[in-house]
Amino acid sequence: TPDSLACIEQGIAYNESVGIEIPAQLSANVPPVGPITITINSFTINSIGNLPCGIDAQTVPSSGTITGGSTGCIVFSGTTDDVVGQYKTSLNLSIDVDVPVLGNQVFTGEITDLLGQLNDLGVSLPFDLEYYMRVTAPGAPCPSIDGSPGAQNLTSPGGSFTFVDNGSGSYAFDAT
């Protein structure tokens, strides 16, 4: 959950990981068909953005792709002197699924758009993908996350990280 990420103190090394468990199947109720079972082939983290400057993200597996029925994680690490405040990360994802009658479908987009696409199929994901990074001054208390629509989320000038195949069969984040 978003509250499980520790605060980042300015100037102090940070290392925090978030586990992601991808189910093998999801249930949906699609009118007029009724209940269906959707098979998840893969779930891919294409990019992670709006991290405080100096904080990097890596996925396990390194390709960013987690097969259905397995687990992966995102590791956030680094040192920042960025502005104190709350940063709502942006995630661009792809979910490859098999849907009865429709066959193979791939849904891609920023997390809020992706959830809307899946909601149109009557599907909700059984895990939370809204991550908030909170930067504090050294020794300052860690504030609660403000997930309200009026929350003041800062925008990092650090850009985003996108997975790039380096040609040797492994992947790395490329700052954009």
Side-chain angles (χ1 to χ4, degrees), residues 34-174:
I36 62 170
T37 299
I38 297 171
T39 300
I40 299 177
N41 299 317
S42 65
F43 176 96
T44 302
I45 301 169
N46 299 316
S47 66
I48 302 171
N50 202 39
L51 301 176
C53 289
I55 302 298
D56 295 321
Q58 296 177 335
T59 62
V60 176
S62 62
S63 66
T65 299
I66 305 165
T67 57
S70 64
T71 60
C73 72
I74 303 172
V75 179
F76 299 99
S77 62
T79 303
T80 189
D81 286 316
D82 219 338
V83 176
V84 168
Q86 176 174 290
Y87 298 77
K88 182 177 181 182
T89 62
S90 62
L91 293 175
N92 183 286
L93 309 169
S94 296
I95 299 178
D96 182 318
V97 297
D98 285 325
V99 181
V101 180
L102 298 176
N104 184 257
Q105 303 286 310
V106 177
F107 299 92
T108 299
E110 290 295 321
I111 187 63
T112 51
D113 296 333
L114 185 64
L115 292 175
Q117 292 174 49
L118 293 172
N119 193 22
D120 290 345
L121 279 178
V123 175
S124 62
L125 297 177
F127 46 85
D128 192 350
L129 290 171
E130 288 191 325
Y131 300 119
Y132 294 85
M133 309 295 288
R134 294 163 291 163
V135 175
T136 65
C142 188
S144 296
I145 290 174
D146 182 357
S148 69
Q152 178 155 2
N153 291 300
L154 300 175
T155 301
S156 174
S160 65
F161 294 88
T162 304
F163 286 104
V164 176
D165 184 345
N166 67 12
S168 66
S170 63
Y171 294 77
F173 271 121
D174 180 34

Side-chain angles (χ1 to χ4, degrees), residues 11-37:
I12 297 176
Y14 181 80
N15 189 347
E16 185 79 13
S17 61
V18 178
I20 303 172
E21 185 174 343
I22 305 300
Q25 298 178 323
L26 294 172
S27 297
N29 190 6
V30 182
V33 176
I36 62 170
T37 299

